[in-house]
Amino acid sequence: MNFSSKVLEEAVQALSLLPGVGKKSALRLALHLVQDNNNKSEKIAEALTRLAHDVKECSVCHNLSDHDTCEICTNSSRPQRQLCVVESVRDVMAIEDTQQFNGRYHVLGGVISPLEGVGPSDIHIDTLIERVKMGTVEEIIMAISPTIEGETTIYYISKMLASFEVKISIIARGVSFGGDLEYADELTLGRSITSRIPYQSPS
Ligand SMILES: [Zn+2]
């Protein structure tokens, strides 16, 4: 690509750093922004700067928050006895949308995947165990997609929690969701949480 403007070229390069945005799409976006009269570039730049600096990980559950502790963890009307364990922040959003769960969350930030070099210590299992040790948690609801990695993760966590008096449930498998929780429709995901079943370890 031959650019008449170095600034435009840099903007295109920056935009194409985003996943799924190729050079051509980046150019289209950059030209759109150059020709726009509504200060879109400034608004986007400001939002992205704040995103980079002001979004934090909740120190309790690892959800994203503007504060040290997220709004779910500080909400006293949400009982601490139920903890829903999910893979990602997007799963929290999907489950919140169903309005079928009123407890708290724990975001693992991934699943155990030996093939991709992700071990138990690479995800937030240690802080989950710490939360259970505090004694307020009565039920752990595993809302993790039933992939091999997901099953491995649930199995590992269940072993780690075996000596604690905590009930472990998994969301219902009878209903199909396309792999990732976020792709399940609200009704299906909501039902799979309310009709959760006790976890039975394969061995
Ligand atoms: Zn939190």
Side-chain angles (χ1 to χ4, degrees):
M1 254 180 235
N2 242 320
F3 290 92
S4 57
S5 157
K6 185 80 185 150
V7 175
L8 177 65
E9 184 177 358
E10 282 170 7
V12 169
Q13 269 169 3
L15 288 166
S16 61
L17 293 172
L18 293 168
V21 180
K23 276 273 152 64
K24 276 185 187 168
S25 305
L27 178 62
R28 189 170 48 78
L29 291 170
L31 291 176
H32 172 82
L33 292 171
V34 166
Q35 285 146 12
D36 158 73
N37 304 318
N38 298 313
N39 299 327
K40 267 189 212 159
S41 300
E42 275 97 340
K43 285 177 195 158
I44 294 169
E46 195 192 321
L48 292 180
T49 304
R50 295 194 62 197
L51 182 70
H53 294 114
D54 299 343
V55 177
K56 303 177 181 78
E57 193 178 288
C58 172
S59 59
V60 180
C61 74
H62 309 285
N63 192 8
L64 292 180
S65 172
D66 295 342
H67 309 282
D68 182 54
T69 313
C70 78
E71 282 179 11
I72 295 174
C73 288
T74 50
N75 185 344
S76 56
S77 69
R78 301 189 67 135
Q80 296 188 50
R81 59 191 155 78
Q82 282 185 329
L83 214 55
C84 184
V85 177
V86 295
E87 182 178 341
S88 77
V89 169
R90 294 198 298 200
D91 295 331
V92 174
M93 291 174 176
I95 293 170
E96 284 295 285
D97 283 344
T98 71
Q99 300 185 320
Q100 296 296 316
F101 178 69
N102 190 41
R104 310 254 175 124
Y105 291 92
H106 192 85
V107 181
L108 293 174
V111 281
I112 297 171
S113 173
L115 279 179
E116 288 175 37
V118 182
S121 59
D122 297 315
I123 58 177
H124 301 300
I125 293 178
D126 49 347
T127 47
L128 173 64
I129 309 295
E130 289 304 314
R131 290 178 81 180
V132 172
K133 267 187 197 166
M134 286 162 72
T136 46
V137 181
E138 292 168 18
E139 183 184 8
I140 297 272
I141 301 161
M142 302 284 193
I144 295 172
S145 292
T147 56
I148 292 171
E149 293 82 4
E151 299 283 5
T152 305
T153 307
I154 294 171
Y155 178 73
Y156 182 86
I157 292 173
S158 76
K159 287 286 162 210
M160 295 294 288
L161 293 176
S163 59
F164 296 96
E165 273 205 32
V166 63
K167 190 170 129 190
I168 300 177
S169 314
I170 52 171
I171 61 171
R173 299 293 159 88
V175 285
S176 68
F177 42 85
D180 286 333
L181 296 185
E182 58 173 317
Y183 298 127
D185 64 85
E186 278 172 28
L187 199 65
T188 309
L189 182 56
R191 259 193 225 130
S192 73
I193 292 164
T194 49
S195 56
R196 60 187 179 273
I197 50 171
Y199 176 66
Q200 282 173 329
S201 135
S203 61

